[in-house]
Amino acid sequence: MLYHLLYPLYKTISVFNVFRYITFRTIYASLTAFLICFVLGPWVIKKMSLLQVRQYIREDGPESHHKKAGTPTMGGTLIIFSVVVSTLLWTNLTNFYIWIALLVTVGYGGIGFIDDYLMQIKKQNKGLSVKNKFLLQAILAILAGVLICSHSGFSTRLTIPFLKNISPDLGWGYILFAAFVIIGTSNAVNITDGLDGLAIGPFIIAAAAYMVFAYVAGHIKIADYLQIRYVAGSGEIAIFCGALAGSGLGFLWFNTYPAQIFMGDVGSLSLGGAIGTVAVITKQEILLVLVGGLFVIETLSVIFQVGFFKMTNGRRIFRMAPLHHHFELKGWPEPKVIVRFWIIAITLALLSMSTLKLR
Ligand code: 57M
């Protein structure tokens, strides 16, 4: 909005020329989203407590989690609010991809909201059924896939990290692939969100990495120089990523150990959906396995644990899945698990950055 209101005035007030630049708007989108979360955080925590929107803890979980019962939850509503306001303020609203990113963020937030709301009504840690949750996620992801693929100029070719000469064209199959990326990321972030700050930390790192990828992919000269696939219009997505990262930082202020609020499914499903959509739009979909490597590791730990559990009639690879519970049960203090997982996430994101040069 500010872009549309202030940039045209640059002929009379030259300083407004700065609104033209994606870099400037990305920085301020991050700061705006951060400030909204930071300022409104205490009010949201108080409101959720008053409304009795509190976490129900699973009986079978690690002992250390029982003391977390009653922590206000659904902090994701604040994250989504700050991302939407900041994105609307700082992006070029004629950009098609921005609306797709917002659609998925708000839509997945809506699915998470229903899930959290049902948990509050049932007064237990069970909301939507797995089947219904997946169905809603699939409908929205396929819709996003169709819209992205039908946008003129969008390539349905895959970008394979490190191999610039191999890029198979999936044609309309790309819609299913895009849906898979969006649904998978949403659920992976959800699974990771089990310790204070554990999901939001790596999420901020992934959003910051995609901020760079989006900027590069949307800049015809830099994309050409780095031999990255150019996606016209994807530069504005850098501003959206800035808003995601800024909002995440603001939320982390309150979600860091010991957490004053959890994000709830409304947060985890929405943020995962958002980063999956960004990966698709910037044509760095497969690289998400590295950028969001921590989410992948957590998800694989569940897949292997459940698979092994079924195949061996009840034997386990880990003490408990997802992986963070394994280390907790081994006796690592919660902050140690969290910070070490962040370190892994930062390392993987740095590695993903090297693909800008190594190809
Ligand atoms: C939700 N949610 C937390 C909070 C957060 C397939 C299966 C492995 C899935 C997995 C699962 O349900 N994962 C998704 C994880 C919950 O947090 C709420 O949920 C929101 C995110 N969706 O925002 O609202 C609990 O996590 C803790 N928490 C924090 N700090 C935070 O900032 O401490 C969350 C955020 C909160 C709080 O305690 O209550 C959750 O874990 O429920 N299932 C599991 O994770 C379960 N694993 C399991 O059953 N493993 C089995 C195998 C065979 C599948 C095994 O290894 O034996 C565990 N979950 C829990 N206890 N809580 C089992 C034990």
Side-chain angles (χ1 to χ4, degrees):
M1 222 171 290
L2 292 177
Y3 170 76
H4 298 283
L5 287 175
L6 300 180
Y7 175 53
L9 302 179
Y10 81 94
K11 280 182 187 139
T12 35
I13 308 169
S14 63
V15 72
F16 286 159
N17 190 35
V18 77
F19 282 91
R20 208 181 95 197
Y21 298 105
I22 285 177
T23 41
F24 171 80
R25 288 184 286 129
T26 302
I27 293 168
Y28 278 87
S30 316
L31 291 174
T32 307
F34 170 78
L35 274 178
I36 294 175
C37 274
F38 184 74
V39 171
L40 294 184
W43 180 80
V44 171
I45 294 169
K46 216 165 159 186
K47 202 81 196 155
M48 293 303 182
S49 297
L50 286 174
L51 292 172
Q52 302 277 319
V53 181
R54 292 169 181 277
Q55 186 67 46
Y56 295 95
I57 308 284
R58 285 173 58 145
E59 296 286 319
D60 53 353
E63 184 66 34
S64 58
H65 282 251
H66 294 168
K67 64 175 187 292
K68 293 175 184 249
T71 307
T73 185
M74 294 181 79
T77 45
L78 175 62
I79 302 179
I80 297 174
F81 176 75
S82 72
V83 169
V84 171
V85 170
S86 173
T87 304
L88 292 180
L89 274 179
W90 293 101
T91 54
N92 175 350
L93 297 176
T94 61
N95 184 287
F96 175 79
Y97 294 130
I98 286 295
W99 290 104
I100 301 292
L102 286 179
L103 170 81
V104 176
T105 308
V106 175
Y108 270 53
I111 299 170
F113 187 92
I114 299 172
D115 199 19
D116 286 333
Y117 187 72
L118 290 177
M119 281 188 224
Q120 294 301 321
I121 291 178
K122 293 183 192 169
K123 297 201 184 299
Q124 54 170 305
N125 195 350
K126 269 197 193 86
L128 273 171
S129 70
V130 175
K131 201 175 120 201
N132 284 343
K133 203 195 281 192
F134 180 77
L135 197 70
L136 291 171
Q137 285 180 317
I139 292 170
L140 202 55
I142 290 173
L143 175 68
V146 170
L147 291 170
I148 293 171
C149 285
S150 52
H151 187 58
S152 77
F154 187 83
S155 165
T156 50
R157 284 185 178 278
L158 281 184
T159 310
I160 317 264
F162 302 110
L163 303 172
K164 71 170 179 204
N165 293 325
I166 303 174
S167 58
D169 192 349
L170 298 187
W172 287 106
Y174 192 91
I175 293 174
L176 288 182
F177 173 72
F180 170 76
V181 172
I182 295 170
I183 300 168
T185 317
S186 174
N187 289 320
V189 173
N190 187 31
I191 284 175
T192 308
D193 190 26
L195 296 180
D196 300 350
L198 185 67
I200 201 71
F203 174 80
I204 296 166
I205 295 159
Y210 271 107
M211 193 164 78
V212 176
F213 288 123
Y215 183 77
V216 168
H219 195 297
I220 197 159
K221 282 190 187 145
I222 302 179
D224 182 52
Y225 170 69
L226 291 172
Q227 300 190 335
I228 296 282
R229 191 179 296 280
Y230 170 64
V231 185
S234 74
E236 291 288 320
I237 286 292
I239 303 170
F240 175 72
C241 290
L244 289 177
S247 168
L249 268 184
F251 180 72
L252 180 59
W253 188 273
F254 305 104
N255 183 232
T256 190
Y257 181 84
Q260 294 164 268
I261 189 163
F262 298 152
M263 68 170 84
D265 277 17
V266 59
S268 57
L269 293 184
S270 153
L271 294 185
I275 212 77
T277 309
V278 165
V280 169
I281 291 172
T282 55
K283 303 288 316 158
Q284 296 293 343
E285 326 87 340
I286 296 179
L287 197 62
L288 185 54
V289 175
L290 205 56
V291 181
L294 188 85
F295 302 124
V296 176
I297 294 169
E298 289 268 41
T299 308
L300 287 179
S301 76
V302 170
I303 293 172
F304 288 139
Q305 177 91 328
V306 175
F308 193 75
F309 188 87
K310 286 190 174 156
M311 268 164 35
T312 58
N313 281 327
R315 284 180 55 211
R316 290 179 162 84
I317 304 175
F318 306 107
R319 294 186 185 194
M320 191 184 277
L323 197 57
H324 51 262
H325 287 319
H326 172 76
F327 291 108
E328 270 193 299
L329 293 177
K330 271 186 82 169
W332 290 20
E334 185 172 341
K336 185 170 241 164
V337 183
I338 298 160
V339 174
R340 285 192 171 164
F341 276 36
W342 287 355
I343 294 171
I344 295 170
I346 294 170
T347 312
L348 291 173
L350 283 176
L351 210 56
S352 75
M353 288 288 167
S354 72
T355 62
L356 287 173
K357 276 289 179 190
L358 292 178
R359 41 191 53 237

